[in-house]
Amino acid sequence: MAAVGSGGSTAAAGPGAVSAEALEPGTASAGETGCGRPGGGGARVRIAEGSGRFLTEARGSILFGPTYVSHRRLKYISLAVLVVQNASLILSIRYARTLPGDRFFATTAVVMAEVLKGLTCLLLLFAQKRGNVKHLALFLHEAVLVQYVDTLKLAVPSLIYTLQNNLQYVAISNLPAATFQVTYQLKILTTALFSVLMLNRSLSRLQWASLLLLFTGVAIVQAQQAGGGGPRPLDQNPGAGLAAVVASCLSSGFAGVYFEKILKGSSGSVWLRNLQLGLFGTALGLVGLWWAEGTAVARRGFFFGYTPAVWGVVLNQAFGGLLVAVVVKYADNILKGFATSLSIVLSTVASIRLFGFHVDPLFALGAGLVIGAVYLYSLPRGTTKAIASTSASASTSGPCTHQQPPGQPPPPKLSSHRADLSTEPFLPKLLTKVKGS
């Protein structure tokens, strides 16, 4: 089950930082960053939305503040967590499902992951209530039972997430890890289409083009797979794997958009929402277990075929999603896209080493198209317009000369070795610098 993220960062602007409410999103006014005078002729500076809070102001120049450095570290940590989680889960499932010997029941692994996830969220809520059992019981009674309508709303996405997790096991059992990782990016396409249909969102031309590029790349990879790229175990069915991954992408896209639609404006915490999803996920997972493999599980046992590798998969699926839910608030769309691209590369390299996967030019072309499409789709929609607007404003405003009030010392010059926002990876980009700074 996909863990519920905690949304964007809500940290207030600290000392020396530009408040998010003080500036128009993505814009620093000329009165604050121009020639040091309100309404001066300085160029209007556009920066990525939300990034103003990580910059400090010093006499008409933009400098780095302590919050900026801390945020940079958090972004690198977020990148590492997202890459490791995306790649390790797929690789570990593939490894556990292809080991010789008794094969575990995938439905039991899905149920165990939901149980562990729910228990973890319950412990975190218990810690938030400072270990007071009575307060926790009252809180859960109010949030789960009294507000039962909000709880029932989570039944649909929980059902779809449970189905999606079972489909992932089917897909990864029948497709190489690298092929699955590339093909699974179709969830970007399905999420975008459901967003347009259900939330009336509009996509830019670049995003539509990137979705077409994404579909083309996946089609090339699947054509390579159908053409027999490399040795294939006899017990694998690429057709079943492709059907499972497409169904998983459709369910992932619909569940994510539906979840966003029904819970927009809801005040529940991330741990409460994951606990509610875990309750439904456990119940629905048990129903699926009984329907699909009930007889075999009753005969051989719930934990039949469990090895340390299988427990690693269960723990990764249970805690990895919760960890991503914590760090994803520090990751913007560009970083998420970059993490996805790195995950594809990492999965491919690991598949070569672990499973003898063969990379031919057709797969490399398809994977490259998918990586490029993911990056293009994650670009902010206003980037191009912001650059054009800033360039036009700077060219028409003319040179800016700082007029210092009488009796005041001249403003200090910035050191030549200061870092430049435009060259820092994974950080809010300053699209143009103020003239004279």
Side-chain angles (χ1 to χ4, degrees), residues 84-165:
V84 171
Q85 162 63 13
N86 287 341
S88 65
L89 179 60
I90 295 170
L91 292 170
S92 61
I93 292 178
R94 177 68 179 176
Y95 179 75
R97 296 296 281 178
T98 54
L99 282 176
D102 296 328
R103 178 176 287 189
F104 67 99
F105 299 110
T107 51
T108 64
V110 172
V111 172
M112 280 305 304
E114 296 296 334
V115 170
L116 292 176
K117 191 181 299 182
L119 290 175
T120 302
C121 293
L122 187 63
L123 289 175
L124 290 170
L125 290 172
F126 181 67
Q128 286 183 350
K129 300 302 177 183
R130 302 182 183 277
N132 192 313
V133 178
K134 182 179 179 180
H135 288 176
L136 177 63
L138 291 175
F139 170 75
L140 293 178
H141 178 267
E142 173 69 22
V144 178
L145 298 179
V146 176
Q147 301 180 18
Y148 67 92
V149 175
D150 283 346
T151 302
L152 290 176
K153 287 180 180 179
L154 295 170
V156 173
S158 182
L159 171 62
I160 298 175
Y161 285 139
T162 304
L163 174 64
Q164 174 190 343
N165 285 337

Side-chain angles (χ1 to χ4, degrees), residues 9-14 16-21 47 50-56 67-68:
S9 176
T10 56
V18 181
S19 170
E21 294 80 16
I47 48 182
S51 61
R53 72 189 64 183
F54 305 114
L55 303 176
T56 56
T67 310
Y68 174 88

Side-chain angles (χ1 to χ4, degrees), residues 12-264:
V18 181
S19 170
E21 294 80 16
L23 294 178
E24 174 190 349
T27 304
S29 68
E32 293 171 331
T33 59
C35 298
R37 59 186 186 276
R44 192 169 179 81
V45 180
R46 285 188 175 271
I47 48 182
E49 182 174 353
S51 61
R53 72 189 64 183
F54 305 114
L55 303 176
T56 56
E57 181 183 3
R59 304 182 69 89
S61 300
I62 299 179
L63 303 174
F64 291 105
T67 310
Y68 174 88
V69 177
S70 175
H71 189 74
R72 180 177 61 179
R73 292 172 182 168
L74 288 173
K75 283 210 166 190
Y76 278 109
I77 294 173
S78 301
L79 174 65
V81 170
L82 291 173
V83 171
V84 171
Q85 162 63 13
N86 287 341
S88 65
L89 179 60
I90 295 170
L91 292 170
S92 61
I93 292 178
R94 177 68 179 176
Y95 179 75
R97 296 296 281 178
T98 54
L99 282 176
D102 296 328
R103 178 176 287 189
F104 67 99
F105 299 110
T107 51
T108 64
V110 172
V111 172
M112 280 305 304
E114 296 296 334
V115 170
L116 292 176
K117 191 181 299 182
L119 290 175
T120 302
C121 293
L122 187 63
L123 289 175
L124 290 170
L125 290 172
F126 181 67
Q128 286 183 350
K129 300 302 177 183
R130 302 182 183 277
N132 192 313
V133 178
K134 182 179 179 180
H135 288 176
L136 177 63
L138 291 175
F139 170 75
L140 293 178
H141 178 267
E142 173 69 22
V144 178
L145 298 179
V146 176
Q147 301 180 18
Y148 67 92
V149 175
D150 283 346
T151 302
L152 290 176
K153 287 180 180 179
L154 295 170
V156 173
S158 182
L159 171 62
I160 298 175
Y161 285 139
T162 304
L163 174 64
Q164 174 190 343
N165 285 337
N166 282 283
L167 287 172
Q168 283 184 353
Y169 278 97
V170 176
I172 299 175
S173 299
N174 291 281
L175 292 174
T179 302
F180 172 84
Q181 181 76 287
V182 173
T183 309
Y184 193 55
Q185 301 315 311
L186 281 176
K187 65 184 179 180
I188 298 175
L189 173 62
T190 59
T191 302
L193 294 178
F194 281 120
S195 296
V196 172
L197 296 175
M198 298 172 61
L199 301 178
N200 296 321
R201 285 183 178 163
S202 61
L203 301 179
S204 66
R205 293 180 181 178
L206 179 62
Q207 287 177 317
W208 282 115
S210 65
L211 292 176
L212 178 61
L213 194 66
L214 173 69
F215 184 81
T216 304
V218 171
I220 291 175
V221 169
Q222 286 303 318
Q224 177 266 352
Q225 180 69 22
R232 180 188 306 161
L234 297 177
D235 60 342
Q236 291 187 12
N237 186 344
L242 176 60
V245 74
V246 170
S248 181
C249 290
L250 287 170
S251 62
S252 174
F254 176 79
V257 175
Y258 177 84
F259 190 86
E260 179 182 352
K261 183 176 182 179
I262 65 175
L263 290 183
K264 215 163 200 177

Side-chain angles (χ1 to χ4, degrees), residues 185 188 214 336-337 340-341 369-378:
Q185 301 315 311
I188 298 175
L214 173 69
K336 292 176 189 175
T340 300
S341 302
L369 290 176
V370 170
I371 291 173
V374 170
Y375 175 75
L376 291 176
Y377 187 83
S378 64

